Amino acid sequence: MAGAASAAKPILLTVDDDPAVSRAVARDLRRHYGEDYRVLRASSAAEALDALKEVKLRGERVAAILADYRMPQMNGIEFLEQAMDLFPRARRALLTAYADTDAAIQAINVVDVDHYLLKPWDPPEDKLYPVVDSLLETWQALGDSPVDEVKVVGHRWNARSHGVRDFLARNSVPYRWYASDEPEGRRLLEAAGATGDDVPLVVPPSGEALRAPDNATLAAAVGLSTEPSVDFYDLVIVGGGPAGLGAAVYGASEGLKTVLVEREATGGQAGTSSRIENYLGFPDGVSGGQLTERARRQALKFGAELLTTRDVVRLETRGPARVVHFADGSELSAHAVVIATGVSYRRLPASGADDFQGRGLYYGSSATEAPACSGKDVYIVGGANSAGQAAVFFSSYARRVVLLVRGPGLEATMSHYLIEQLAGIENVEVRTCTEVVEAHGDEHLERLGLRDSATGEVELVETPYCFVFIGAEPRTDWLDGVVSRDERGFVRTGPDLVVEGRKPAGWNLDREPFYLETSVPGVFVAGDVRSASVKRVASAVGEGAMAVTLVHRYLDRS
């Protein structure tokens, strides 16, 4: 019986109270997917839940569920919430009429439905099958077997404990958190022969406990790739944000032997964003984590290698090869290099701030801390989109979110749609002309000193959480003396390198540098780290793709 269940075709379930629609969607699904999947249909949410319970008892798998939004007794959102309890890994889509779109989008944001489909979906080749293909691709990639979780034991206010959780979350590694002063946490520490001083304790699926591991050790233990498969590539990409992932997708898909190396986690600053709402093709918004995970899987599908915890410290030209050197002394060579290291948030120039990093004060939007913010006042420092997105996100958890802005307003630094969104959230307050000048506390952050730039007065406010999104500093010290940079450290490219018709120093080619090419031939730059770039996710992805086109042009002329 068990063997028969495991061999059965995965199930596609469609639920609609309109018999004509129900028959039509089942017919179209069977026509296209019937060879590999079994299609079931139900005429109500209750009938569908009964069917799912039977499927569960038989040990069969459900790949995707398509549910109508407007159904009597139980609407599609309510049904999908209950269906997720039975089959949490099944992918989910809503069927909506045109008039339902706004309500459906709002519900999608709440319960994280994967897609919505507008009725009618004719022709299915254009409007139905691409959506279902995406659902099934995700389901197949994530699998339907139980996920082996990593166990993490630590102190709530221990900076390294936070660092481990953040690293795992940003690299899409499932884990379970145990506080070291709770019974299960103490049991795990005892089983590993560890004490509260050994936190964070990390127990990967192998069962070998790791005491306060660094990121490289942690990455290897949880199965992330850290070592290249060969010594020489067509293309090495340094940095795994939107620009680097864009370059990896286009480089690998166009036949280049491509490797992307990332110091921490793919996604960069964009990967920590709670919701990006102005990215083309996602009208209901998409989280940075979701966008990053899709791009990562896409790059891997085309054959790119993605290496984590590899810190690049030097770039060298060695004849026709471009060589990147790592902090551990190893190196990697390629015909061409794309630098996509992005930018880092500037440190908060406040007295005592460094003492509380990872202990109440965080750089970027740390989603792992969101549940602990429940019922508390949260302060967010910054006036650009990343800060605004974080304020929206934390408003769902915190009692009050205070956005601290140094300037007189948000209009010059934040997108209009986001300003309007913040204005509509009751528990979000925007304080302009305000700077953080002090941070106080004992074991963790407890108070901030806020200075009014107009009066000079300093006010102490109580808060255990502060998230910082100020400025942008490029990570380019490792390029010092190799490529031309501007006064802020951003890398000059293309036309910016040619002054009064003179090519950059050391340029030994007859042609001028390509648009995204640095002062070293064969070394290109994409995204926020480029001088005068547009600091947007879409432009970073576009530059990553453009850089690959220019790499091909460079290789053709070499």
Side-chain angles (χ1 to χ4, degrees):
M1 184 70 176
S6 62
K9 294 179 180 179
I11 289 170
L12 301 179
L13 174 65
T14 173
V15 190
D16 200 302
D17 64 314
D18 185 326
V21 174
S22 180
R23 286 193 297 269
V25 69
R27 178 200 64 220
D28 288 341
L29 290 175
R30 289 192 182 104
R31 180 184 301 161
H32 196 70
Y33 302 101
E35 185 174 338
D36 299 312
Y37 295 86
R38 185 158 65 96
V39 178
L40 300 180
R41 68 183 180 95
S43 58
S44 70
E47 180 185 336
L49 287 173
D50 288 341
L52 287 175
K53 291 173 184 176
E54 290 185 19
V55 169
K56 188 75 173 180
L57 290 174
R58 291 198 299 266
E60 296 183 83
R61 300 171 297 160
V62 176
I65 303 172
L66 284 71
D68 183 42
Y69 178 60
R70 290 190 176 181
M71 293 189 292
Q73 285 81 51
M74 185 187 302
N75 68 33
I77 295 297
E78 295 165 338
F79 160 70
L80 286 172
E81 285 187 286
Q82 295 194 37
M84 288 166 61
D85 292 335
L86 294 168
F87 291 94
R89 295 179 182 83
R91 310 322 296 174
R92 303 166 297 280
L94 275 180
L95 298 172
T96 70
Y98 286 106
D100 295 330
T101 303
D102 291 341
I105 290 174
Q106 183 179 4
I108 288 170
N109 289 336
V110 172
V111 296
D112 200 24
V113 174
D114 298 292
H115 287 280
Y116 69 94
L117 280 162
L118 294 177
K119 297 187 290 185
W121 56 84
D122 290 329
E125 290 77 11
D126 294 336
K127 299 182 178 180
L128 175 64
Y129 298 151
V131 170
V132 178
D133 285 346
S134 177
L135 293 175
L136 297 179
E137 180 184 340
T138 302
W139 179 78
Q140 290 166 354
L142 296 179
D144 196 40
S145 57
V147 176
D148 290 327
E149 290 181 325
V150 176
K151 298 180 178 67
V152 180
V153 184
H155 295 316
R156 177 186 175 190
W157 299 116
N158 176 272
R160 184 56 192 151
S161 294
H162 164 75
V164 164
R165 295 166 63 196
D166 190 58
F167 178 83
L168 294 174
R170 291 182 61 195
N171 281 286
S172 302
V173 177
Y175 73 92
R176 187 176 295 276
W177 165 257
Y178 301 91
S180 59
D181 57 354
E182 294 179 352
E184 185 62 16
R186 287 196 295 266
R187 186 191 67 79
L188 289 169
L189 287 172
E190 183 179 351
T195 68
D197 295 330
D198 295 321
V199 297
L201 181 78
V202 180
V203 185
S206 65
E208 181 181 356
L210 306 173
R211 303 183 187 190
D214 59 27
N215 283 351
T217 302
L218 182 59
V222 300
L224 298 176
S225 296
T226 60
E227 297 294 333
S229 62
V230 296
D231 295 328
F232 196 94
Y233 290 81
D234 294 321
L235 176 62
V236 170
I237 302 163
V238 184
L245 287 168
V249 168
Y250 282 92
S253 67
E254 294 175 9
L256 297 178
K257 182 67 175 174
T258 301
V259 61
L260 182 152
V261 295
E262 166 58 42
R263 185 171 66 172
E264 296 174 357
T266 52
Q269 285 188 7
T272 67
S273 176
S274 54
R275 185 159 295 275
I276 302 168
E277 297 193 60
N278 59 352
Y279 189 73
L280 184 68
F282 291 88
D284 53 324
V286 60
S287 73
Q290 290 173 324
L291 189 64
T292 295
E293 177 61 18
R294 292 181 182 185
R296 188 189 66 82
R297 287 193 288 107
Q298 195 172 15
L300 291 172
K301 181 183 77 171
F302 288 121
E305 294 180 37
L306 306 184
L307 309 181
T308 58
T309 66
R310 300 311 301 262
D311 192 7
V312 178
V313 296
R314 189 161 62 92
L315 175 68
E316 177 191 3
T317 298
R318 191 180 295 165
R322 304 294 177 259
V323 184
V324 293
H325 294 261
F326 298 115
D328 64 0
S330 61
E331 62 181 45
L332 205 54
S333 301
H335 291 300
V337 171
V338 171
I339 299 168
T341 48
V343 294
S344 303
Y345 292 117
R346 289 208 319 267
R347 294 297 176 187
L348 188 66
S351 173
D354 290 345
D355 297 334
F356 299 106
Q357 184 176 347
R359 299 191 297 124
L361 191 147
Y362 308 94
Y363 290 91
S365 182
S366 179
T368 58
E369 300 299 325
C373 295
S374 179
K376 298 179 175 61
D377 289 350
V378 170
Y379 284 75
I380 294 173
V381 186
N385 278 10
S386 53
Q389 290 160 352
V392 173
F393 173 67
F394 283 106
S395 69
S396 299
Y397 296 88
R399 176 179 61 188
R400 183 171 68 119
V401 175
V402 183
L403 186 62
L404 304 175
V405 184
R406 185 173 60 177
L410 295 171
E411 289 75 11
T413 55
M414 188 178 292
S415 295
H416 179 69
Y417 83 89
L418 200 49
I419 296 174
E420 290 192 328
Q421 193 172 357
L422 290 172
I425 303 176
E426 291 184 357
N427 65 330
V428 172
E429 173 188 342
V430 179
R431 292 185 55 170
T432 59
C433 301
T434 303
E435 295 181 81
V436 179
V437 293
E438 302 170 4
H440 303 278
D442 293 323
E443 183 184 10
H444 60 87
L445 178 68
E446 296 175 357
R447 294 174 301 281
L448 292 175
L450 308 182
R451 182 171 62 198
D452 186 315
S453 59
T455 65
E457 295 181 358
V458 175
E459 174 191 2
L460 282 179
V461 296
E462 304 285 333
T463 181
Y465 288 102
C466 177
F467 299 90
V468 181
F469 303 82
I470 55 173
E473 294 181 336
R475 297 174 174 175
T476 59
D477 289 347
W478 60 284
L479 295 170
D480 189 31
V482 180
V483 301
S484 174
R485 299 180 294 160
D486 65 20
E487 63 280 357
R488 297 176 58 197
F490 292 90
V491 181
R492 293 189 177 97
T493 60
D496 292 338
L497 293 168
V498 180
V499 180
E500 296 180 353
R502 295 195 301 272
K503 298 170 187 174
W507 187 268
N508 57 4
L509 301 180
D510 293 336
R511 63 173 178 83
E512 294 184 351
F514 296 133
Y515 182 70
L516 298 179
E517 196 169 20
T518 71
S519 57
V520 175
V523 177
F524 299 82
V525 173
D528 290 0
V529 73
R530 185 176 67 84
S531 180
S533 65
V534 178
K535 304 300 189 285
R536 288 290 185 268
V537 174
S539 62
V541 173
E543 287 192 6
M546 184 192 301
V548 171
T549 298
L550 298 176
V551 166
H552 279 292
R553 193 177 300 177
Y554 165 76
L555 294 176
D556 289 342
R557 297 190 180 190
S558 298

